Amino acid sequence: MIRVTSLRLRAMLGMTALVLAIVGVHSVGLYYAADAEEDRLADQIVNAELDFLIERFQRGVLVQSRSQLFTTYVVRDASAQAALPRYLHKLPDAVGEIELGDRELHVGVRSQQNVRFYVVFDVSHNEQRIRAFGWSLLLGVVIAMVVTTVLGYWVAGLVLRPLATLGERVGCLGVSRPQRPLAADYAEEEIVRLAQAFDNYLEKIVTLIEREREFTANVSHELRTPLTSIQTGCELLLQGQTLVAGDYRRVESLWRAAERMSLIVRSLLYLARGEDSPMVEQVSVQECLLEVSDAARPMFLRKGIEFEVVVDPLAMWQPDRMAVFL
C-alpha cells in the first residue's frame, strides 16, 4: 500500500476524490434518469400508436402497415396469429420491452372484440443515443477529474503556503531570541495558533539555555579560585627543598590534576559564553597520551597493573585542547 506523506498531495487527492464522487454520482443518476425517461416516452408512443391503430381499424382503413420505426399487426384468427414473428407469440395485453439480439423493441399488445392489435416500436436508435450520452458523461467525469487534480494541487499549494513558510522560518531559528514573534506575520487562525506554539516553545528553550549558561558561568568562576590556590601551593612546595622523592611525585600529581581541572573549568566557561576556544593547536599524540597515562598510573599501580605507552613520536594532532579535556 502506497502511503502519501505530502500534505499537499493528500489535500489534492481528497479534493479530487470528493469531486469525482459528486460528478460520478450525478452522471450515473443522469444516465439512468435519461434511460428511464426514454423507456417511458417509448411506452407512451406505443400506446398512442395502438390507439391510432384501433381507431383506423374501426373506421375500416387499411391497418396492416410497416414503417421505418413501427411495425403493426392485426390478428383476427389463428392463422394470422401463427404468422406473427416468434417473439410476439403468447404475449399478454400490455406494453413492454423486448431485447432481440442487438435490437431493443417496445411492444404493445391490446385485444378488442376478439381481435388483437400489435405495435412494435424499434428503439435501437434511441438506445444508441443513450449509450453515446453515457460515454459523454464518462468523458466529462474524466475531464473533471483531470481538471480537479490540477486545480486541487494548485489550490492546496496556495492554502498550505503559509505553513510551508512557517516551516522554513522554524528551520532557520537559532538559540538567540528572534527579532519578532513568528505569529505576528500570519493572519490565518490555524497557522497563528501553530506559530504561537513555536514561539512559546522557543521562549522556553531560550530561558533554559540562558539559565544553563548562567549556572555554568557561576560554577566556573567559583571553581577557578580554589584551583588557583591549589596550583600555587603545589608550585611553592615543588620549588622548596623539603620534599622527599615520594612526596615530590604526589605533589606533582596534585599540580597536574589541578592544571587539568583548570583547563576543564576554562572550557566550561567558553561553552557557557558560546565562544570558540582559543586553544586550537597542533600537539603531539605521544605527549597527550603520556599526560593522561601519568595521571592514571597510580590507580593502576595500586591494582598491580603495569602498562606502557608506545606511540610514534612524530604523530601529530590538531585538536581543541580544552575539548580534549571535556
Side-chain angles (χ1 to χ4, degrees):
M1 182 178 179
I2 300 177
R3 183 179 180 183
V4 180
T5 57
S6 172
L7 190 59
R8 184 176 185 180
L9 289 179
R10 285 187 179 183
M12 179 202 70
L13 292 176
M15 294 175 62
T16 303
L18 178 62
V19 172
L20 184 61
I22 295 174
V23 175
V25 171
H26 184 260
S27 299
V28 171
L30 280 179
Y31 177 80
Y32 282 104
D35 187 59
E37 184 66 18
E38 186 268 339
D39 290 339
R40 188 181 67 82
L41 290 176
D43 290 341
Q44 288 181 354
I45 292 173
V46 169
N47 277 317
E49 189 66 21
L50 275 173
D51 293 337
F52 184 60
L53 177 62
I54 293 171
E55 181 185 356
R56 284 184 298 168
F57 176 78
Q58 291 174 349
R59 288 187 299 159
V61 181
L62 181 64
V63 295
Q64 192 77 14
S65 63
R66 181 183 178 89
S67 66
Q68 183 179 4
L69 299 179
F70 294 97
T71 302
T72 60
Y73 302 95
V74 178
V75 178
R76 299 182 179 88
D77 50 32
S79 60
Q81 181 72 27
L84 288 174
R86 185 177 298 274
Y87 65 87
L88 294 178
H89 291 177
K90 299 180 180 180
L91 289 180
D93 288 3
V95 176
E97 183 179 339
I98 296 177
E99 291 186 2
L100 193 63
D102 58 347
R103 298 170 60 200
E104 185 171 332
L105 308 174
H106 278 254
V107 180
V109 182
R110 193 179 300 173
S111 299
Q112 283 192 1
Q113 300 176 355
N114 296 325
V115 179
R116 301 200 79 190
F117 300 91
Y118 294 83
V119 173
V120 180
F121 181 26
D122 190 348
V123 295
S124 300
H125 60 290
N126 290 337
E127 291 299 321
Q128 291 177 358
R129 285 197 291 268
I130 291 295
R131 284 193 291 270
F133 177 64
W135 284 112
S136 65
L137 289 176
L138 180 61
L139 180 61
V141 171
V142 174
I143 293 175
M145 182 180 66
V146 174
V147 172
T148 304
T149 300
V150 176
L151 291 180
Y153 189 79
W154 178 68
V155 172
L158 289 179
V159 173
L160 296 176
R161 183 174 298 172
L163 185 61
T165 57
L166 177 60
E168 293 175 358
R169 292 188 60 187
V170 170
C172 296
L173 291 178
V175 296
S176 58
R177 193 181 303 273
Q179 296 296 324
R180 54 183 295 165
L182 296 174
D185 297 330
Y186 299 96
E188 298 82 1
E189 181 180 353
E190 295 78 8
I191 305 298
V192 168
R193 289 203 298 266
L194 183 60
Q196 287 175 345
F198 279 118
D199 288 334
N200 294 335
Y201 188 68
L202 182 61
E203 183 73 20
K204 293 179 182 179
I205 292 178
V206 171
T207 302
L208 289 175
I209 292 177
E210 290 179 351
R211 190 175 300 170
E212 181 181 356
R213 285 179 175 176
E214 182 179 357
F215 172 77
T216 307
N218 291 335
V219 170
S220 299
H221 284 297
E222 292 296 329
L223 289 176
R224 291 178 70 183
T225 300
L227 286 175
T228 303
S229 300
I230 293 173
Q231 284 182 290
T232 303
C234 291
E235 289 175 358
L236 292 175
L237 289 174
L238 291 174
Q239 292 175 1
Q241 303 296 326
T242 60
L243 296 177
V244 296
D247 293 337
Y248 185 88
R249 287 194 299 269
R250 293 187 182 91
V251 173
E252 186 179 19
S253 177
L254 288 175
W255 179 82
R256 289 179 179 177
E259 183 181 22
R260 184 171 182 273
M261 196 65 184
S262 297
L263 290 174
I264 293 176
V265 171
R266 290 178 60 187
S267 300
L268 291 175
L269 186 59
Y270 277 107
L271 288 176
R273 294 173 178 173
E275 301 175 356
D276 295 331
S277 172
M279 300 185 66
V280 177
E281 57 183 349
Q282 190 170 6
V283 298
S284 170
V285 177
Q286 184 185 50
E287 180 183 346
C288 290
L289 291 178
L290 288 174
E291 184 177 350
V292 174
S293 64
D294 289 342
R297 189 179 298 274
M299 180 181 62
F300 284 100
L301 290 176
R302 286 194 300 269
K303 295 183 179 182
I305 300 175
E306 296 184 2
F307 64 91
E308 182 181 0
V309 178
V310 180
V311 183
D312 184 3
L314 299 180
M316 304 299 291
W317 186 27
Q318 190 172 354
D320 181 349
R321 187 175 182 86
M322 289 191 296
V324 172
F325 285 98
L326 286 177

